[in-house]
Amino acid sequence: MGRGSGAAPVSPGLALEAAVLALLAAAAALPSPAAGVNVTAVLSAFPNFADFARLLASTPVAGELAGRSSLTLLAVPNANLPQSPSAFAAGAGAGADIADVLRYHVLLEYLSPSDLARLPASGKLVTTLFQTTGRAPSDLGAVNLTAGTNSTVVVRSPAPSPGSNATVLGAVTAVPYNLSVLAVGGLIVPSGFDLAASESRPAPPVNITRVLTDARGFNVAASMLQASGVASEFEADEHGAGITVFVPTDDAFAGLPATDRLQSLPAERKAVVLRFHVLHSYYPLGSLESIVNPVQPTLATEYTEAGRFTLNITRVNGSIAIDTGVVQASITRTVFDQNPVSVFAVSKVLLPKEMFSRGDSDSTTMAPPSAAMAPGNAGNEQTPPTRLSSPPDLHGEDSESSAALTTAKGASWWCIGLMYLQLHLLLSLDLEDVKGDMPHAKKSWVKQKTGATSSDPNW
């Protein structure tokens, strides 16, 4: 039998393996999911949309888009964006509102130019990313796409009342079935959303306690602010000229001398010390370095009188020194600086001279409080001092008197000892003399009594 000229039959196992490889190759050829599409990177190839891309990148919206697929982005050209700088700001105030406006420009459906050409006469309602936030009432987080004159498409809010709208200018680019970018003639604002009001809305107060907690190394200061309630006063004072806060580190509190007893102060006096660390004006670091008037009032000054509870701020050896009249601290770093609030770390706890006084050493002692230190100065009662002690100058006099008395006592005992020794020597010499003269004295006495003479052989 001769050999067959046809191909050898393929086994079922090999056929199945070939089919699986073909499917894998087909899957690899499909477009990547939207998670692999960087919207800002896509827009970076189009300079005419650079401002819109920058606005996206400055809000959380760009990150939210990276995890979604089948999207249509309504991008606004540079020339059609609002000129107000606050419309570009992210962060406090208008930032969150601007982010919602941008979410309103993200349609949760892939729409190509051909899809727009087939819009029904009644229009098409498309859900936006803003609807997913839960902040849009009813279906006002959607947009209505309607066909206009001359084959144009208009994007508007579905709300019955007139709202903002924009015309689709054309297609910009697309990542098929993942991202379609369409140019529109302006920002589209959700119904009932006042963009102008959001731009002029004052920024919410900065939570100083949270800033210190996030920065780390300020646990003592943060807990004192929270417990005293002074932090709320700081937030109320942020408006207007702003505030500058000097915050001692945990190491600064640990380095306090035991005589200071700051933590044992009554609540009202402790609040005064905390207010003493705050200037009622916003000073960034550069302004502090070139400050014109070195003597600055603090928030504690506002509760007393002018000239009390002030800080002397100067530049010493390239750093900013803060002198209270009791201690001198220096700024070690900037913790937070965003107008109207700046927070700086300082190397020591700022102790006011009105409450603490410096002795001969580096340690400090607490001075009696003043009634004016309490907020509102209710009544004329004086708060008793935390501990009783003699004034620093009297301590020195007592020590000198004690030393002099000790010296005098020692000299007296030496004199008494010398006198005793001299008396002992004199008595010893007299006794020797007496012993030598005793025989002669006895003979004279016997002569007198008996009448014997020296020639007497018995004498």
Side-chain angles (χ1 to χ4, degrees):
M1 182 179 294
R3 294 177 181 273
S5 60
V10 180
S11 65
L14 291 176
L16 179 60
E17 182 178 351
V20 171
L21 291 175
L23 287 174
L24 291 175
L30 291 175
S32 59
V37 178
N38 187 325
V39 176
T40 55
V42 171
L43 291 177
S44 65
F46 303 93
N48 192 32
F49 295 90
D51 292 342
F52 188 79
R54 192 178 304 112
L55 193 59
L56 277 174
S58 67
T59 67
V61 179
E64 295 171 7
L65 298 183
R68 290 183 173 271
S69 60
S70 298
L71 302 175
T72 298
L73 178 65
L74 306 179
V76 182
N78 298 339
N80 297 75
L81 279 172
Q83 297 302 310
S84 172
S86 60
F88 298 89
D97 298 333
I98 294 296
D100 281 345
V101 171
L102 293 176
R103 292 184 181 100
Y104 201 58
H105 287 69
V106 180
L107 312 185
L108 302 184
E109 184 177 338
Y110 180 85
L111 297 173
S112 64
S114 58
D115 293 327
L116 296 181
R118 295 194 295 270
L119 287 175
S122 58
K124 180 180 178 66
L125 195 65
V126 182
T127 303
T128 71
L129 189 62
F130 177 51
Q131 184 72 40
T132 65
T133 64
R135 290 187 288 273
S138 186
D139 62 349
L140 297 184
V143 294
N144 195 6
L145 304 178
T146 57
T149 58
N150 300 324
S151 301
T152 60
V153 175
V154 178
V155 185
R156 58 168 53 91
S157 170
S161 58
S164 78
N165 60 75
T167 301
V168 176
L169 304 178
V172 179
T173 187
V175 179
Y177 309 109
N178 279 336
L179 177 66
S180 173
V181 182
L182 305 176
V184 291
L187 282 177
I188 310 162
V189 180
S191 179
F193 194 96
D194 190 349
L195 180 61
S198 69
E199 293 177 4
S200 61
R201 186 178 303 150
V206 176
N207 189 324
I208 304 295
T209 306
R210 181 174 299 174
V211 168
L212 297 180
T213 303
D214 294 342
R216 298 184 180 181
F218 302 95
N219 294 328
V220 178
S223 61
M224 288 181 66
L225 285 173
Q226 188 70 28
S228 65
V230 177
S232 60
E233 296 179 17
F234 294 176
E235 294 175 3
D237 290 328
E238 291 174 13
H239 303 293
I243 60 173
T244 300
V245 186
F246 303 113
V247 186
T249 62
D250 289 341
D251 291 339
F253 279 101
L256 278 174
T259 54
D260 290 339
R261 312 284 289 276
L262 176 62
Q263 295 297 343
S264 63
L265 285 175
E268 67 274 9
R269 297 187 69 196
K270 193 179 296 184
V272 174
V273 176
L274 293 174
R275 296 186 189 102
F276 186 62
H277 286 71
V278 183
L279 306 181
H280 201 170
S281 293
Y282 166 68
Y283 288 106
L285 188 62
S287 298
L288 288 176
E289 291 175 339
S290 57
I291 197 166
V292 176
N293 182 14
V295 180
Q296 290 290 316
T298 65
L299 288 187
T301 308
E302 299 179 6
Y303 286 92
T304 56
E305 58 188 35
R308 291 172 55 83
F309 293 96
T310 59
L311 295 174
N312 194 330
I313 303 174
T314 56
R315 186 175 176 86
V316 177
N317 298 327
S319 62
I320 300 175
I322 305 173
D323 196 335
T324 71
V326 176
V327 297
Q328 180 170 305
S330 60
I331 292 179
T332 57
R333 67 184 177 99
T334 301
V335 179
F336 181 87
D337 188 356
Q338 181 177 324
N339 192 357
V341 178
S342 59
V343 180
F344 300 101
V346 290
S347 59
K348 292 184 179 180
V349 180
L350 305 181
L351 303 177
K353 62 180 181 293
E354 289 81 1
M355 295 175 59
F356 298 83
S357 60
R358 184 182 297 278
D360 295 334
S361 63
D362 290 336
S363 64
T364 56
T365 56
M366 284 186 289
S370 169
M373 290 191 300
N377 189 18
N380 296 321
E381 296 181 357
Q382 295 283 344
T383 305
T386 304
R387 68 188 187 100
L388 298 177
S389 63
S390 300
D393 54 343
L394 293 185
H395 288 298
E397 293 179 4
D398 292 342
S399 300
E400 293 174 0
S401 301
S402 177
L405 180 59
T406 302
T407 304
K409 288 181 178 179
S412 299
W413 281 110
W414 271 105
C415 291
I416 293 172
L418 288 173
M419 292 176 63
Y420 176 79
L421 180 59
Q422 185 177 9
L423 180 61
H424 178 73
L425 291 174
L426 291 174
L427 289 175
S428 299
L429 292 174
D430 290 342
L431 287 174
E432 291 296 331
D433 293 340
V434 170
K435 288 180 180 179
D437 291 339
M438 276 297 291
H440 300 285
K442 183 177 182 181
K443 289 179 180 182
S444 300
W445 180 78
V446 172
K447 284 180 180 182
Q448 292 176 1
K449 295 298 183 180
T450 62
T453 61
S454 60
S455 61
D456 191 341
N458 296 322
W459 179 251

